[in-house]
Amino acid sequence: MKKLKCYDCEVTFQAETREEILDALYTHYMKDHNEVITGASEEEKKAWMVQFEKDWSEAENVA
Ligand SMILES: [Zn+2]
């Protein structure tokens, strides 16, 4: 189980897999940060994914 914090608020997420946390983050962004998704350019979306991949791979396992 790994933990990641939302980039735009204080909500944290825990998941076993990358797909699982990406799904949770996406649902959260659609609900609470819709303007971030709708207002982001392709470059910003790519940069977000790069940051996410890095943070996910470096995230420490929590019990
Ligand atoms: Zn958030």
Side-chain angles (χ1 to χ4, degrees), residues 10-44:
E10 295 301 312
V11 176
T12 56
F13 300 91
Q14 287 188 13
E16 290 289 351
T17 66
R18 179 187 167 281
E19 285 68 30
E20 203 182 320
I21 204 150
L22 206 48
D23 195 49
L25 268 169
Y26 186 73
T27 304
H28 170 72
Y29 266 80
M30 287 301 278
K31 184 172 164 284
D32 289 355
H33 311 297
N34 198 262
E35 73 289 349
V36 175
I37 293 189
T38 53
S41 66
E42 286 307 309
E43 283 73 33
E44 284 168 329

